[in-house]
Amino acid sequence: DPPVNAVAVVSSAYEVEEDRLTVPHIAEIYEDLDMEVPGRSLSREAAMRMAQFIKGIPKTTQTVLCACNAGQCRSTAVAAAIHLYFGMDDMHIWENPAYQPNPWVFTLLCEALDIPMTDNMLDFRTETNHYAFRKAIGKQ
């Protein structure tokens, strides 16, 4: 079989037209909330489904597309967890002031992917992100 060139992990607050996605994918519907709100935020069950999909991504995959409604919070949290899962550095995501990775989504995915993530490690990432944003708007 030829290598898979792209897969997609889609996080949305709205129904996704999955028949329009032409690459292997998973789509989970949840709101961009940074805490557990049953029936609205990312659930542990949905995070486990996403983790199962991520764990099944072939090593030959060249592109993993992470998408959400605005491309700033949920998808960047998913991308950061995917980076760590595949042994890459995720800090460039947290250092980018255009992104605000959702800490709840990131934490649940790290848990589901068996990535150690202490409160201190998460705090460092979120503070790095807040600093980058403040610096970008000139309010250090």
Side-chain angles (χ1 to χ4, degrees), residues 30-134:
Y30 57 94
E31 294 178 43
D32 185 22
L33 302 173
D34 62 2
M35 68 181 107
E36 184 174 18
V37 179
R40 294 181 55 202
S41 62
L42 179 66
S43 67
R44 282 186 163 70
E45 296 78 19
M48 290 301 291
R49 287 191 297 271
M50 292 171 78
Q52 284 291 97
F53 179 81
I54 292 164
K55 289 176 180 181
I57 295 173
K59 300 279 187 239
T60 55
T61 301
Q62 296 172 8
T63 304
V64 177
L65 168 69
C66 297
C68 64
N69 297 82
Q72 294 175 314
C73 302
R74 285 168 291 185
S75 60
T76 58
V78 171
I82 289 172
H83 273 76
L84 291 176
Y85 179 74
F86 284 106
M88 298 180 287
D89 184 20
D90 67 322
M91 287 309 295
H92 67 281
I93 294 170
W94 299 94
E95 292 166 349
N96 188 326
Y99 302 142
Q100 296 84 48
N102 183 306
W104 176 254
V105 172
F106 179 73
T107 299
L108 282 187
L109 272 179
C110 285
E111 181 182 298
L113 290 166
D114 300 318
I115 299 168
M117 186 56 53
T118 65
D119 289 343
N120 287 341
M121 293 164 74
L122 179 62
D123 289 346
F124 175 76
R125 284 166 169 77
T126 57
E127 280 304 311
T128 297
N129 186 249
H130 293 157
Y131 175 78
F133 181 76
R134 288 190 306 271

Side-chain angles (χ1 to χ4, degrees), residues 5-22:
N5 292 321
V7 297
V9 181
V10 181
S11 302
S12 178
Y14 308 103
E15 291 299 319
V16 175
E17 294 181 36
E18 291 189 64
D19 58 329
R20 296 184 65 191
L21 296 172
T22 59

